[in-house]
Amino acid sequence: MHTDPFDDLPPSPQPSWTAEKQREFLEALARCGSVKASAAYVGMSREGAYRLRRRQDGRAFDRAWDAALIHARDLYAETLLETGLHGWTETVWYHGEEVGERTRFSPGLLLAALARLDAKAEGIDMAGEAAREAAADFDAMVEAIGEGDDCAEMLARQDETARARRTFVSGRSRSGPSDEELLARLEMCQERERIERTPPEDIDTSDLDPCKAEEWDDLQWARAERSGMMDEPDFWEKVAPEGLDDDGDEDDARDWPDPDSRPFH
């Protein structure tokens, strides 16, 4: 009987999350905000990234992940606001031929950007105080992770600074938000944390219609982000509102035909 000489060879080792790959992943995540794209950039899977994040020895990676998303959301909000104010260039097609360009505007996108900026301004951020401290230390923290450092001292300092800030805020005069408003904010933060702890495949997206994304609240956006829906190639095309051409006819180019012409990618 013929025997394949390669049958006795050990299986190829699975790629591992080396310190260098963790650093590159975090830097990519801070630029684009997409877990799937950042994992693919370093040759790893999105599922593997989440598994590493849940591990006990992945605590620094987990904290830096939240910090990276803070930076990415800042870039995203800035781009979204710029697009809502100034529009974006879109190629016009007629009978399959490119006939020119025009500028499209979306008040809905501007309102969505302002709503998300308002949520950040109110301190309703899913990452929490410690992650905001990590965002300030992001470059140093990512560099340390890339060198294999567990960042224990840095994490402890971030935790202590976050506790001190919470103590200071709680001791201030109660002339600010009412008890009902504070309770609502607490429930919002708890729901965000629940979403972040839920595996992406278990996130309920049954009520998330991208065509009605302008009506979503901040938690719906959080579920869309966590589930991976925002990574789908046609997500932002569905978010873009359908409308009429300047001449009153139905739009001939409702989708962005060129990825470079999208308001964010």
Side-chain angles (χ1 to χ4, degrees):
M1 182 178 65
H2 174 70
T3 301
D4 191 327
F6 295 102
D7 286 345
D8 295 331
L9 294 177
S12 301
Q14 294 297 315
S16 61
W17 279 95
T18 63
E20 180 64 16
K21 283 189 176 182
Q22 293 181 43
R23 181 186 66 78
E24 293 178 349
F25 169 85
L26 293 167
E27 290 176 342
L29 187 61
R31 292 193 300 269
C32 71
S34 169
V35 175
K36 181 179 180 180
S38 300
Y41 177 72
V42 298
M44 303 297 285
S45 68
R46 184 178 71 169
E47 294 73 20
Y50 282 107
R51 283 196 297 271
L52 173 60
R53 192 181 190 189
R54 292 193 294 267
R55 281 166 35 182
Q56 181 62 32
D57 60 353
R59 185 164 175 254
F61 180 75
D62 177 44
R63 178 75 57 80
W65 178 315
D66 282 335
L69 289 179
I70 289 176
H71 287 289
R73 285 199 299 276
D74 287 343
L75 293 173
Y76 165 77
E78 180 180 348
T79 301
L80 191 57
L81 186 59
E82 182 74 13
T83 300
L85 287 171
H86 302 294
W88 64 92
T89 301
E90 180 180 81
T91 303
V92 178
W93 300 82
Y94 183 73
H95 292 310
E97 294 185 3
E98 182 179 338
V99 296
E101 293 182 342
R102 66 177 172 194
T103 300
R104 290 288 297 272
F105 295 89
S106 173
L109 289 178
L110 175 58
L111 292 175
L114 293 175
R116 291 173 72 79
L117 289 172
D118 286 345
K120 286 171 65 64
E122 292 174 4
I124 307 175
D125 193 289
M126 68 180 179
E129 292 287 347
R132 283 188 281 273
E133 293 300 322
D137 296 334
F138 185 71
D139 290 338
M141 193 172 188
V142 169
E143 190 66 28
I145 290 173
E147 295 174 357
D149 192 337
D150 62 5
C151 301
E153 293 183 4
M154 194 176 297
L155 292 172
R157 179 177 55 76
Q158 292 166 0
D159 289 338
E160 181 59 32
T161 303
R163 282 193 295 269
R165 179 176 288 107
R166 285 194 296 269
T167 300
F168 172 76
V169 171
S170 64
R172 296 174 61 184
S173 169
R174 297 301 300 275
S175 61
S178 65
D179 290 344
E180 290 76 13
E181 290 172 327
L182 291 174
L183 181 59
R185 293 184 184 185
L186 177 61
E187 291 175 347
M188 176 77 77
C189 291
Q190 290 174 337
E191 180 61 19
R192 286 181 177 279
E193 292 175 356
R194 187 193 68 78
I195 292 171
E196 276 298 292
R197 290 195 301 269
T198 303
E201 62 272 16
D202 293 337
I203 294 291
D204 180 17
T205 60
S206 59
D207 63 322
L208 301 182
D209 181 357
C211 297
K212 298 180 179 179
E214 295 176 5
E215 303 173 4
W216 289 359
D217 60 30
D218 212 49
L219 288 178
Q220 287 174 303
W221 278 104
R223 283 191 285 126
E225 182 178 16
R226 176 64 171 167
S227 68
M229 176 184 289
M230 294 170 65
D231 294 330
E232 295 174 1
D234 61 345
F235 176 81
W236 293 110
E237 282 82 353
K238 293 178 181 178
V239 170
E242 297 181 355
L244 299 178
D245 289 335
D246 296 335
D247 58 6
D249 296 328
E250 289 191 1
D251 195 345
D252 293 321
R254 291 176 176 174
D255 293 335
W256 288 291
D258 180 355
D260 292 336
S261 67
R262 298 175 186 176
F264 29 74
H265 41 274

